[in-house]
Amino acid sequence: MFIDRQKLERAYLDELTKIGNLFDTLNIDHCITGGYALLSYSISTRGPMDCKLLVFTDKRDKIIEMLFKLNYTICSINNNNIKITKEDPHGAMSIDLILGKQDDKFIVFNINNRDVKLGDKFFAQNRKEVKNRKGAKGFFRVAPLELIYFSKMNSTNETDLFDLEMIKNSSKMDIDKLLKLFEINGMM
């Protein structure tokens, strides 16, 4: 089966906008990381356009109910993660919802098999218009570039290493915010 990547990417952007709107309506803290977040900073990844959605809420049952109403298939579910897919005429969309838990004054997420502590300010991001090269648009909350860098920095994956280099060369990263992430996570 032929997959039209441009139309699939447009479908992803539409779905992420819908999910973001619903999470905003339910007052659920969330932000998107991965390839679609990099796209919002005008950085294109060499690898597949992965999609991770960081979610902090105690309304897990409400999220699951909402996903069923949006015709998503839940592939797996555990305490930290909900993997969902949705069939589209242009291919299958897969989204990884990473659930955070409160730990003292921080929220802890398991990103790339590593616990990452975040403060509330990471969810205070405004919605951004995200465009791909072909003009498709989405409108959702995006993780700060510093968090994307931090989550990929110990990876040996060739795509992640390419993404790290692209982030560094973009000069869009705030070094003070990155250092704050190091401090919160006990790396300084």
Side-chain angles (χ1 to χ4, degrees), residues 16-29:
L16 291 173
T17 301
K18 285 180 200 171
I19 290 172
N21 288 342
L22 283 167
F23 281 4
D24 284 343
T25 302
L26 296 171
N27 292 323
I28 294 174
D29 288 329

Side-chain angles (χ1 to χ4, degrees), residues 10 27 31 48 57 59 62 81 90 104 121 135 148 155 163 171-172 178:
R10 177 171 281 142
N27 292 323
C31 65
T57 185
K59 301 175 184 174
K62 191 76 176 162
N81 208 316
H90 311 293
D104 291 329
K121 67 179 179 175
I148 299 168
S155 176
D163 290 349
S171 72
K172 294 180 182 182
L178 183 63

Side-chain angles (χ1 to χ4, degrees), residues 8 19 34 36 60 63 77 107 110 158 168 177 187:
L8 182 61
I19 290 172
Y36 286 93
R60 181 176 153 165
I63 290 174
I77 193 167
I107 304 164
N110 187 310
E158 188 177 313
K168 278 195 280 188
K177 286 182 182 176
M187 299 176 80

Side-chain angles (χ1 to χ4, degrees), residues 26-53:
L26 296 171
N27 292 323
I28 294 174
D29 288 329
H30 68 285
C31 65
I32 291 174
T33 184
Y36 286 93
L38 285 175
L39 192 62
S40 74
Y41 293 101
S42 301
I43 299 172
S44 71
T45 183
R46 184 181 285 171
M49 290 295 283
D50 62 328
C51 183
K52 291 182 169 65
L53 185 58

Side-chain angles (χ1 to χ4, degrees), residues 172-184:
K172 294 180 182 182
M173 189 168 54
D174 185 329
I175 300 301
D176 291 334
K177 286 182 182 176
L178 183 63
L179 292 175
K180 186 70 176 166
L181 260 175
F182 285 142
E183 188 180 318
I184 288 171

Side-chain angles (χ1 to χ4, degrees), residues 19 22-23 60-77 82-86 97:
I19 290 172
L22 283 167
F23 281 4
R60 181 176 153 165
D61 294 340
K62 191 76 176 162
I63 290 174
I64 293 169
E65 179 185 329
M66 180 189 75
L67 293 171
F68 277 121
K69 286 182 181 175
L70 289 173
N71 295 322
Y72 277 96
T73 301
I74 296 180
C75 300
S76 68
I77 193 167
I82 302 174
K83 289 186 188 287
I84 58 174
T85 60
K86 186 174 189 179
L97 278 73

